[in-house]
Amino acid sequence: LQAAQSNRGHRGGVISMHRALTHLQLGPGEIVNSVMLMLFAVIAWLTTLPWACRFWSYVLQYGLKVLPLHAAFATSELKLGKLFHYQLPFLKIDPILPTSRIWGYTCLVTIILFAITYRLSQKWTPIVYLVRAMLIIQITALIYFALIPARFPHTPNSYMEGLITSGITLIFSIPFLFGLTYYIFKFSAIKKIVITLSAMGYLILFLPLQMLLQALVLQKTILFMPLLYIVFGMPLDVLLVIAIYSYGMTWKTVGDRN
């Protein structure tokens, strides 16, 4: 009787064990299903990547027409063995070092924002630490471009090409990541397919917009490239995948009656 009562809440309802505390029992069927889903998603991505590249090309070329962008459309070739060859679209931008005015304004705004973080209440603590980390990155960029700006080894062209390449790589890795962290749970096959396609589809839609927004900044100066790379590049894409994964983990599993 005591054991039965320990699983009930103060209103008499049954408190089921959370899936994070349960032991997973993976049989051959679950392993085969996970592997098959991973292979299906990978093959689907390799097959649809040419259409995704065409879609990205259209968005980038349309952005060049309607946005105040001083950039040029370009493509780079991606080869995956002898069977798969893709033309990856990206934007070419001339590298512009920060002028003394831009450097001074950026330094002033950075100092002001850093001071404001010390005036916020404790309820803003998580945001304060995040903002301070971003400001520290920008401070290091300011120091670098104040001392040795000509030695900066990266260009907007290489950064933009790397942004689209890393995005494609992340989309390619989603089936493997979900296969190890999501497919092992007792969700229905439809939910596993939906959450995988949602994460991959979201990044397909997000990548060209991410590139256009960052191009608007980089065409002014490469002073902000470190911040864009460290915070708003691949890390932002990974956080989007984690957010979609977290949402999928709130769905009911097979046999869950709660």
Side-chain angles (χ1 to χ4, degrees):
L1 178 62
Q2 184 178 1
Q5 291 179 347
S6 63
N7 294 328
R8 294 185 178 273
H10 71 283
R11 294 184 178 179
V14 177
I15 303 175
S16 59
M17 183 177 295
H18 193 272
R19 65 171 68 99
L21 302 177
T22 59
H23 295 282
L24 293 175
Q25 297 179 353
L26 297 178
E30 288 82 1
I31 296 176
V32 171
N33 289 335
S34 297
V35 173
M36 292 299 294
L37 283 173
M38 285 189 290
L39 291 177
F40 166 77
V42 170
I43 294 173
W45 172 235
L46 293 176
T47 305
T48 58
L49 182 53
W51 283 274
C53 291
R54 295 190 187 99
F55 169 72
W56 293 333
S57 299
Y58 172 80
V59 175
L60 293 179
Q61 290 174 345
Y62 181 77
L64 289 174
K65 294 179 181 178
V66 300
L67 296 175
L69 264 173
H70 302 287
F73 178 81
T75 59
S76 63
E77 187 177 10
L78 174 64
K79 294 182 179 180
L80 299 177
K82 297 182 179 180
L83 297 177
F84 301 100
H85 300 271
Y86 307 102
Q87 294 295 326
L88 307 184
F90 67 99
L91 297 178
K92 298 182 68 175
I93 305 171
D94 294 331
I96 299 178
L97 293 174
T99 62
S100 57
R101 176 177 295 183
I102 292 178
W103 190 96
Y105 286 157
T106 304
C107 184
L108 179 62
V109 172
T110 302
I111 294 174
I112 293 174
L113 291 176
F114 210 96
I116 290 176
T117 60
Y118 287 94
R119 305 294 298 176
L120 298 176
S121 60
Q122 291 185 350
K123 67 179 182 179
W124 297 98
T125 298
I127 296 179
V128 166
Y129 285 129
L130 177 61
V131 172
R132 287 178 184 173
M134 295 169 60
L135 293 175
I136 289 174
I137 295 172
Q138 190 57 50
I139 289 174
T140 58
L142 287 167
I143 296 174
Y144 185 95
F145 282 99
L147 298 177
I148 47 175
R151 295 185 182 180
F152 191 67
H154 305 287
T155 64
N157 294 345
S158 62
Y159 173 75
M160 284 293 172
E161 186 176 357
L163 184 63
I164 192 69
T165 304
S166 62
I168 290 175
T169 304
L170 178 59
I171 296 175
F172 179 80
S173 65
I174 286 176
F176 300 99
L177 295 175
F178 283 9
L180 297 174
T181 61
Y182 191 83
Y183 298 165
I184 58 177
F185 294 100
K186 294 182 179 180
F187 295 103
S188 64
I190 294 178
K191 290 181 178 179
K192 293 177 182 179
I193 294 174
V194 168
I195 197 65
T196 304
L197 295 180
S198 297
M200 298 174 73
Y202 194 94
L203 284 181
I204 290 174
L205 297 175
F206 178 73
L207 277 176
L209 303 179
Q210 182 185 29
M211 188 175 298
L212 288 171
L213 289 174
Q214 297 201 16
L216 288 171
V217 177
L218 291 177
Q219 70 175 351
K220 301 296 183 182
T221 176
I222 58 176
L223 176 61
F224 306 104
M225 188 183 295
L227 180 63
L228 293 176
Y229 174 78
I230 297 175
V231 179
F232 299 104
M234 173 66 82
L236 179 59
D237 300 339
V238 173
L239 287 177
L240 292 175
V241 175
I242 294 175
I244 296 174
Y245 169 84
S246 301
Y247 175 69
M249 287 299 294
T250 64
W251 295 348
K252 292 183 179 181
T253 56
V254 176
D256 187 3
R257 298 179 180 180
N258 296 326

